[in-house]
């Protein structure tokens, strides 16, 4: 059995001390060991074939986890950050935008944008958001359309939107995913042709608007024609559409169209109030409230 050199030295010293005590005889009082001169310390001799103890690695270097996330964050911090981001998306109530995190990975969100007016009117564009695994300290999330849209800021081959144009440097606690989604909606209403990913679309928009509009109409029709296709990614939370089915959709439609706001009188509160109207008397009773 291999022993640590320190423990080996202690064992050898103890063994020698035991042999000396046996030779001195039983019952004889043991004398105290001689005190060494002050300031001079002696160490036991190093045993033969002793292996030096290696120095542990420095703790000053930041540790990175297997997925690239800083170790001080951990998976719980990442999960909390993404949950907070999704909560912000819900609170913002982005018009015409719907997103749903993936079932398999919280770093991937499925979404769809509905364009109601403008050059891309009636367009329904499905997309996927890819969030870096060191979020929120990494680069900005990527947004890729399922079918490349004919647009100056959309790559005609991969369908990726030029998000870095708006977020040159992603800043934690300042930039949020809902801003990326809002930016993806804005590009369909405000066309920017500076440093395009699709030079053809940029040139046509600048020099031949009519041909540009024709190309846009064809692109919208192409995307809508694949609206009922199965999602490209096998995920139970991927957004999918199905044709109109009265047995399934009619009831939901009726509930949406028949919904009415309740009258304001329904929300009137009776009972104790802080201050009676027209006076400074606190905790006054409403005269119309029944007396108990």
């Amino acid at each position: 059995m291999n022993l640590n050199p320190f423990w080996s030295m202690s064992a050898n010293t103890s063994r020698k001390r035991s042999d000396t005590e046996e030779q001195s005889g039983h019952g004889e009082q043991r004398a105290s060991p001689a005190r060494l001169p002050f300031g001079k310390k002696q160490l036991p001799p190093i045993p033969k074939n002793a292996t030096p103890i290696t120095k542990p690695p420095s703790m000053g270097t930041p540790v990175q986890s297997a997925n690239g996330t800083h170790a001080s964050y951990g998976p719980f911090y990442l999960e909390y950050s993404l949950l907070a981001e999704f909560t912000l998306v819900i609170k913002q109530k982005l018009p015409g935008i719907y997103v749903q995190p993936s079932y398999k990975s919280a770093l991937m969100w499925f979404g769809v944008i509905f364009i109601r007016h403008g050059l891309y009117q009636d367009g329904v564009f499905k997309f996927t958001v890819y969030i870096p695994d060191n979020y929120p300290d990494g680069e900005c999330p990527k947004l890729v359309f399922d079918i490349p849209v004919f647009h100056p800021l959309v790559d005609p081959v991969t369908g990726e939107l030029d998000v870095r144009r708006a977020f040159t440097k992603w800043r934690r606690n300042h930039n949020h995913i809902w801003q990326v989604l809002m930016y993806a909606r804005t590009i369909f209403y405000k066309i920017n042709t500076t440093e395009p990913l699709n030079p053809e679309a940029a040139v046509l928009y600048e020099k031949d608007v009519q041909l540009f509009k024709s190309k846009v109409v064809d692109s919208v029709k192409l995307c809508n024609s694949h609206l009922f296709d199965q999602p490209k990614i096998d995920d139970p939370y991927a957004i999918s559409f199905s044709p109109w089915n009265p047995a399934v959709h009619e009831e939901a439609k009726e509930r949406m169209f028949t919904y009415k706001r309740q009258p304001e009188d329904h929300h009137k509160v009776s009972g104790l109030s802080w201050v009676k109207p027209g006076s400074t008397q606190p905790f006054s009773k409403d005269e119309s409230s029944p007396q108990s």
Side-chain angles (χ1 to χ4, degrees):
M1 179 176 63
N2 296 328
L3 297 176
N4 184 294
F6 176 79
W7 297 114
S8 300
M9 290 185 290
S10 301
N12 293 337
T13 305
S14 301
R15 190 179 299 110
K16 292 180 180 179
R17 185 185 300 114
S18 301
D19 296 342
T20 305
E21 291 176 356
E22 289 180 359
Q23 293 177 2
S24 61
H26 298 283
E28 183 178 357
Q29 187 176 3
R30 190 169 52 199
S32 300
R35 300 178 64 88
L36 296 176
F38 180 77
K40 296 182 180 180
K41 296 182 179 180
Q42 295 182 0
L43 297 176
I46 300 177
K48 296 181 180 181
N49 301 327
T51 304
I53 302 176
T54 58
K55 183 179 179 180
S58 175
M59 301 300 293
T61 306
V63 181
Q64 297 286 337
S65 62
N67 64 350
T69 306
H70 197 282
S72 62
Y73 297 158
F76 297 104
Y77 178 84
L78 178 61
E79 182 180 359
Y80 171 80
S81 299
L82 296 176
L83 180 61
E85 288 290 340
F86 187 69
T87 302
L88 285 176
V89 171
I90 297 175
K91 290 182 177 180
Q92 292 298 324
K93 298 181 180 179
L94 306 178
I97 301 178
Y98 301 89
V99 290
Q100 172 69 33
S102 166
Y103 174 82
K104 297 180 179 179
S105 173
L107 297 173
M108 181 170 59
W109 294 10
F110 304 110
V112 59
I113 299 178
F114 295 89
I115 305 300
R116 300 189 174 99
H117 58 84
L119 295 175
Y120 293 85
Q121 183 176 356
D122 298 329
V124 182
F125 308 119
K126 292 193 292 184
F127 62 87
T128 305
V129 177
Y130 297 93
I131 306 170
D133 57 3
N134 59 344
Y135 186 85
D137 292 328
E139 299 180 353
C140 60
K142 295 182 179 180
L143 191 148
V144 182
F145 291 99
D146 289 9
I147 298 178
V149 186
F150 187 77
H151 192 284
L153 303 185
V154 178
D155 191 298
V157 178
T158 63
E160 181 176 352
L161 172 64
D162 186 6
V163 179
R164 295 185 181 181
R165 175 186 301 268
F167 306 93
T168 55
K169 183 179 180 181
W170 189 264
R171 293 180 294 173
R172 59 178 303 179
N173 299 329
H174 181 79
N175 297 128
H176 300 282
I177 297 178
W178 74 265
Q179 296 170 333
V180 176
L181 301 175
M182 197 63 186
Y183 171 71
R185 177 183 180 273
T186 303
I187 67 165
F188 294 109
Y189 298 103
K190 297 180 180 180
I191 310 298
N192 189 340
T193 58
T194 306
E195 299 181 359
L197 294 183
N198 188 338
E200 178 189 2
V203 172
L204 290 179
Y205 182 80
E206 292 290 344
K207 298 183 177 181
D208 194 342
V209 179
Q210 294 303 322
L211 183 55
F212 176 82
K213 291 181 178 179
S214 177
K215 292 272 190 178
V216 168
V217 171
D218 293 340
S219 179
V220 170
K221 290 181 179 179
L222 176 63
C223 293
N224 291 349
S225 65
H226 292 276
L227 194 59
F228 300 136
D229 293 353
Q230 291 297 320
K232 294 182 178 181
I233 301 177
D234 184 16
D235 192 290
Y237 287 175
I239 296 179
S240 61
F241 293 90
S242 59
W244 174 263
N245 184 354
V248 178
H249 305 122
E250 189 66 35
E251 181 182 356
K253 175 186 173 182
E254 290 298 326
R255 279 187 291 179
M256 287 190 292
F257 280 95
T258 56
Y259 174 78
K260 295 181 180 180
R261 288 183 175 272
Q262 296 179 347
E264 296 182 359
D265 295 340
H266 179 80
H267 300 284
K268 184 177 180 181
V269 179
S270 61
L272 297 178
S273 63
W274 286 102
V275 178
K276 183 178 181 179
S279 69
T280 58
Q281 180 182 354
F283 297 103
S284 60
K285 286 187 177 182
D286 189 350
E287 295 179 356
S288 60
S289 61
Q291 301 292 332
S292 57

